[in-house]
Amino acid sequence: MDMRRAIGNRVRGLVGSGELDLSRPPGDPGLFGPGSATWAVHGDFTSMMIGGVASLLVQMLHPAALAGVWDHSNFRRDMTGRLRRTAQFISVTTFGSTEAAERMIGRVRRVHERVTGTLPDGTPYAASDPDLLAWVHAAEVDAFLRAHLRYRDPAMPVARQDAYVAEMAQVAERLGAIDVPRTRAALNAYIEGMRPALRADARTREVAGLLIRQPSPSLLNAPVNAVMMQAGIELMPRWAARLHGFGVPLAQRPAVRLGAHGVGQLLRWALR
């Protein structure tokens, strides 16, 4: 097996793309379609992986989002599986048929209905809460867009960015979110307004540490994983990185970005 195929197969195995049926019947563009901003943003594996790391780290700063992971997942033993399931949801809802996307959304809604509990301070939480769904969605879309602008298309027009935010709002609303931002400016304002509700504690640090230090499934993947994690941390808003206690010195940021650009070129070659 040549190097390109070996790397490509490893990457596909990481996200489980070989398990997905992304075919669409004639005349069915899916939820978005080939000319959409969502296809453009979600079509680059490297920036999506970097954005995915950043989004998970920002999402878990919300106490209820963290509690859902802490109380209802086996993140200590299977963080890779959690990442794979997230990647598969995004792949199907982006590139799959309308029927497949709606089926996937329905499956996630049913899972959310079972995720309930109580925060350490006694406050009840539910993964199906519309406001919590809006937060998780906004943190994810913001991170994916940041990564796309940094690592794939820095010149993406604001109107095209707005189109991406508006398109992705459809998925959030189908999951049950309300008052979802529909422009880049509204997304920025929403996240800024959420900052007083965000915090980090010992549980946040444990989950974040397991995400960042998760073992690579192979020696071939290990260097790529290390670059993706550092690039994801560096991509986060500075205030979010400070809450986590992360710091990427200014002098190291160019090297992190250069490494991520190099990985991006390698993976685009392998997945072509």
Side-chain angles (χ1 to χ4, degrees):
M1 182 181 296
D2 62 27
M3 180 62 72
R4 173 183 285 177
R5 187 179 306 173
I7 295 172
N9 287 346
R10 288 291 185 181
V11 170
R12 294 183 185 97
L14 180 65
V15 299
S17 60
E19 307 165 15
L20 304 177
D21 177 9
L22 299 181
S23 61
R24 297 181 307 280
D28 176 19
L31 296 184
F32 307 110
S36 65
T38 298
W39 271 47
V41 173
H42 293 182
D44 182 62
F45 181 84
T46 306
S47 59
M48 287 296 287
M49 286 294 292
I50 294 170
V53 171
S55 73
L56 289 172
L57 290 168
V58 174
Q59 286 168 351
M60 71 177 68
L61 293 172
H62 191 296
L66 176 71
V69 174
W70 187 272
D71 295 339
H72 294 274
S73 75
N74 59 346
F75 67 92
R76 292 181 181 86
R77 298 184 301 277
D78 189 28
M79 182 64 80
T80 300
R82 179 177 177 81
L83 296 174
R84 182 182 296 114
R85 289 187 291 274
T86 299
Q88 290 179 338
F89 176 84
I90 293 166
S91 296
V92 172
T93 55
T94 301
F95 302 111
S97 67
T98 302
E99 180 184 358
E102 291 177 343
R103 187 166 58 246
M104 178 68 82
I105 290 169
R107 184 184 308 163
V108 171
R109 287 192 69 140
R110 289 190 292 275
V111 171
H112 285 168
E113 289 169 1
R114 301 194 297 268
V115 177
T116 61
T118 305
L119 301 180
D121 66 3
T123 303
Y125 72 85
S128 59
D129 175 65
D131 292 332
L132 180 58
L133 288 168
W135 162 251
V136 171
H137 164 80
E140 179 179 88
V141 169
D142 178 67
F144 289 156
L145 190 50
R146 283 171 175 268
H148 186 74
L149 292 169
R150 180 166 297 171
Y151 291 108
R152 190 56 176 160
D153 184 10
M156 186 181 199
V158 173
R160 186 75 162 159
Q161 297 178 43
D162 287 345
Y164 172 66
V165 176
E167 289 168 9
M168 285 297 289
Q170 300 175 53
V171 177
E173 289 166 350
R174 288 171 189 242
L175 285 169
I178 59 173
D179 299 327
V180 182
R182 289 185 169 273
T183 66
R184 181 63 193 271
L187 179 64
N188 291 345
Y190 170 83
I191 291 176
E192 184 67 22
M194 286 294 295
R195 286 180 57 181
L198 308 179
R199 59 187 58 87
D201 57 18
R203 301 203 311 181
T204 320
R205 287 187 285 276
E206 180 174 344
V207 177
L210 287 169
L211 170 64
I212 294 165
R213 295 190 297 272
Q214 62 178 302
S216 174
S218 74
L219 291 175
L220 186 62
N221 287 102
V224 171
N225 283 6
V227 171
M228 295 296 99
M229 292 300 167
Q230 282 303 305
I233 291 170
E234 197 270 336
L235 182 72
M236 294 168 63
R238 298 275 72 80
W239 58 262
R242 286 194 297 270
L243 279 176
H244 273 288
F246 297 147
V248 179
L250 283 171
Q252 294 180 15
R253 289 176 191 171
V256 170
R257 296 183 188 186
L258 184 63
H261 278 295
V263 167
Q265 291 177 344
L266 172 66
L267 295 184
R268 289 179 202 117
W269 168 78
L271 295 170
R272 190 167 58 215

